[in-house]
Amino acid sequence: MLGLIIIVENLIALLFFTTSLHKIFNSSKQLRTMNAYHIVPDQFLYPSFICFVLAEITISLTIPVTGITIYHAISISGLLSIYTFAIGYNLLRGHKDISCGCGGVLENERLRWGLVLRNLFMIMVVIAVRKVQFLSKEEVSLVNQIELAFASIIIFLLMYLFKQLHDIKKKLFSVMERLN
């Protein structure tokens, strides 16, 4: 059971790391997306962007060292709650043609209620992992931790591959519709 917890922790760390890198390397696009949400005033866009990215990087770099602590659970739940509120608020206003701004594997070109459910599910997973980790007193050897880290990377790469295949499928269907 603890091995599964470590894999989930590593996946969460990888998700936050890759999304933060995506946001950094595409900062102008990310700032446009944040602006399109019409929630953060213009003068606070860049500072909030910096805060979100720093929080995501900090989370991603500390989870592999400490596991999910209470601070991680609060931080991740807080970030995902903010993101979920922004998505839900815009969906209620009818603004669906906005990129979610998630970045990386989690990126979506349009807002949809599935993103809200995904974020709520991720919050529940983080809280459950924290609870199980808190109750568990098992120790995992360094060799097992390395094996679990590699397993996490493989699972993450498979997630990325499936995301890319899904995007290709959508583009192919779009091209086929235009030809008809």
Side-chain angles (χ1 to χ4, degrees):
M1 178 65 148
L2 193 56
L4 180 61
I5 296 299
I6 291 171
I7 288 175
V8 171
E9 288 175 337
N10 289 335
L11 286 174
I12 291 168
L14 282 168
L15 284 173
F16 274 97
F17 185 70
T18 57
T19 59
S20 63
L21 286 182
H22 183 268
K23 290 173 185 177
I24 290 168
F25 291 124
N26 300 287
S27 58
S28 58
K29 180 184 177 204
Q30 183 66 25
L31 288 164
R32 283 192 305 275
T33 299
M34 289 174 65
N35 193 38
Y37 274 81
H38 297 293
I39 295 175
V40 179
D42 289 345
Q43 65 266 31
F44 296 115
L45 274 178
Y46 193 72
S48 59
F49 166 77
I50 296 294
C51 288
F52 290 142
V53 169
L54 285 176
E56 290 179 7
I57 288 173
T58 302
I59 288 166
S60 69
L61 294 178
T62 57
I63 286 176
V65 176
T66 63
I68 293 181
T69 66
I70 188 68
Y71 305 109
H72 290 107
I74 292 169
S75 300
I76 293 169
S77 298
L79 276 175
L80 290 176
S81 294
I82 291 168
Y83 300 158
T84 303
F85 169 79
I87 292 168
Y89 179 70
N90 275 278
L91 284 169
L92 290 173
R93 292 177 21 198
H95 299 157
K96 296 178 183 181
D97 292 325
I98 305 172
S99 166
C100 71
C102 306
V105 169
L106 300 178
E107 184 64 39
N108 281 277
E109 296 173 12
R110 289 181 48 113
L111 298 183
R112 53 189 174 76
W113 287 107
L115 298 172
V116 170
L117 294 175
R118 179 197 69 196
N119 287 354
L120 294 174
F121 176 74
M122 285 177 63
I123 291 170
M124 290 188 318
V125 167
V126 167
I127 292 169
V129 165
R130 172 64 191 143
K131 186 71 170 175
V132 169
Q133 184 188 48
F134 179 75
L135 295 174
S136 176
K137 302 298 180 203
E138 292 180 55
E139 291 291 324
V140 178
S141 71
L142 179 62
V143 171
N144 285 341
Q145 287 180 6
I146 292 169
E147 289 172 344
L148 293 169
F150 279 117
S152 303
I153 291 168
I154 291 168
I155 292 168
F156 181 80
L157 291 173
L158 286 172
M159 290 170 46
Y160 182 76
L161 175 66
F162 286 122
K163 167 85 166 117
Q164 294 303 312
L165 290 174
H166 178 51
D167 290 347
I168 290 169
K169 181 182 119 184
K170 283 186 351 187
K171 289 176 184 172
L172 283 174
F173 280 127
S174 176
V175 168
M176 288 173 46
E177 285 179 3
R178 286 186 209 144
L179 293 175
N180 290 332

